[in-house]
Structure formats: C-alpha cells, structure tokens
C-alpha cells in the first residue's frame, strides 16, 4: 500500500480519483485525531491541541487539516506553472512555522480571493488548536504564519 501523501499546493496534485482521495484524506485525518487523543490524553481537550507528531511535521499536519476541511490545494505542473487555485504551504522564516498562501494560475483572481480564503484557512486551523496570524508582504501579498501554541504543562 502506498504511503498517503499530503497536498501542500507546492507540487502536482496527488494522483488518483476524487472519491479515492477524499476517502484517503478522511482516513488520514481520523488517524491524526486518534494520535491527538492518545498523545494529549492528559489535556482538557485532547483533540483541540496539536500533538507532538504535528509539531515535528507542521507542513504535513496543516496540509492534512486544510484538505480534510474541504479547502482546495493549489498545484503546479511538471514545468512549475501554477494549474489550480488554493492553499500553498511552505516553511516560514522561523522554524516550526508554516507559511500559508492563496495562489492560482495567472488570471485566476486568486489575489482578490486571498483575504476571504485565508480567513477560512485560519478559522479551520484555529479550531484545531493552531495559532494563525495574517500578514502582508511585498505588494500587499497576504499570507498566514501558522504554528502550534507553546507547549506547556498539561491542562486539566
């Protein structure tokens, strides 16, 4: 059985049919929630806090959370041309922080849709215990920096 590959929006879309992909994402996300229940058993809200696995692989965890919530990933073709509008993830300047952008092909209107789309991404991630802050870069390009909250003593 092939390993499940998350869609980060920085590469080609994962191969396979839509129904098979939806089932694989659902199964992987349920697995992530099970990891949270097991690893965060000593917290007040085990499913509402990123687990250690997510802290070590934040890009994978954020990609899975967004795709499981029905947020579409962007994609590029083999030549690196953007072919789909959606989230695109990568490492931010600080370690452990994920940069979330809303990108699409030229003429797609992705820049105009970015504010609402990134707000939706932030809402999805905050419900799962991530900290998500919006910033504007050069030419007012919007993006989110997403990270797990600081690890602290167990909450009861």
């Amino acid at each position: 059985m092939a390993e499940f590959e998350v869609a980060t929006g920085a590469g080609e879309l994962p191969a396979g049919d839509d129904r098979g992909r939806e089932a694989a994402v659902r199964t992987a996300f349920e697995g992530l929630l099970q990891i949270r229940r097991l690893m965060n058993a000593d917290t007040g809200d085990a499913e509402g806090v990123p687990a250690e696995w997510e802290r070590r692989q934040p890009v994978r965890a954020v990609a899975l959370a967004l795709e499981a919530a029905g947020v579409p990933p962007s994609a590029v073709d083999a030549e690196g041309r953007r072919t789909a509008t959606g989230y695109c993830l990568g490492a931010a300047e600080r370690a452990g922080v994920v940069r979330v952008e809303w990108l699409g092909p030229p003429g797609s209107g992705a820049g105009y849709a970015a504010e609402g789309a990134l707000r939706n991404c932030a809402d999805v991630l905050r419900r799962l215990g991530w900290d998500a802050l919006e910033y504007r870069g050069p030419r007012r390009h919007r993006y989110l920096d997403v990270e797990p909250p600081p690890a602290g003593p167990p909450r009861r």
Side-chain angles (χ1 to χ4, degrees), residues 116-137:
L118 290 172
R119 185 175 302 123
N120 179 50
C121 291
D123 290 345
V124 165
L125 295 166
R126 287 180 184 131
R127 283 192 300 269
L128 291 168
W130 294 89
D131 292 335
L133 297 173
E134 182 180 331
Y135 294 96
R136 288 188 183 192

Side-chain angles (χ1 to χ4, degrees), residues 10-75:
E12 295 183 49
L13 288 173
D17 65 64
D18 288 346
R19 294 179 97 183
R21 178 68 186 177
E22 288 173 13
V25 168
R26 195 170 38 254
T27 299
F29 187 69
E30 285 302 318
L32 181 136
L33 293 178
Q34 183 62 22
I35 289 170
R36 283 184 171 202
R37 286 189 288 271
L38 293 170
M39 301 305 295
N40 296 334
D42 58 349
T43 67
D45 180 14
E47 288 186 8
V49 179
E52 188 58 34
W53 175 88
E54 295 169 271
R55 292 173 183 277
R56 288 193 310 266
Q57 300 183 62
V59 171
R60 288 182 57 82
V62 168
L64 179 57
L66 290 174
E67 192 173 2
V71 180
S74 185

Side-chain angles (χ1 to χ4, degrees), residues 80-128:
R81 291 184 300 256
R82 194 130 320 259
T83 60
T85 299
Y87 65 80
C88 183
L89 309 181
E93 295 172 9
R94 291 183 301 135
V97 179
V98 178
R99 167 89 28 105
V100 180
E101 298 176 274
W102 192 260
L103 303 176
S108 67
Y112 294 109
E115 182 177 9
L118 290 172
R119 185 175 302 123
N120 179 50
C121 291
D123 290 345
V124 165
L125 295 166
R126 287 180 184 131
R127 283 192 300 269
L128 291 168

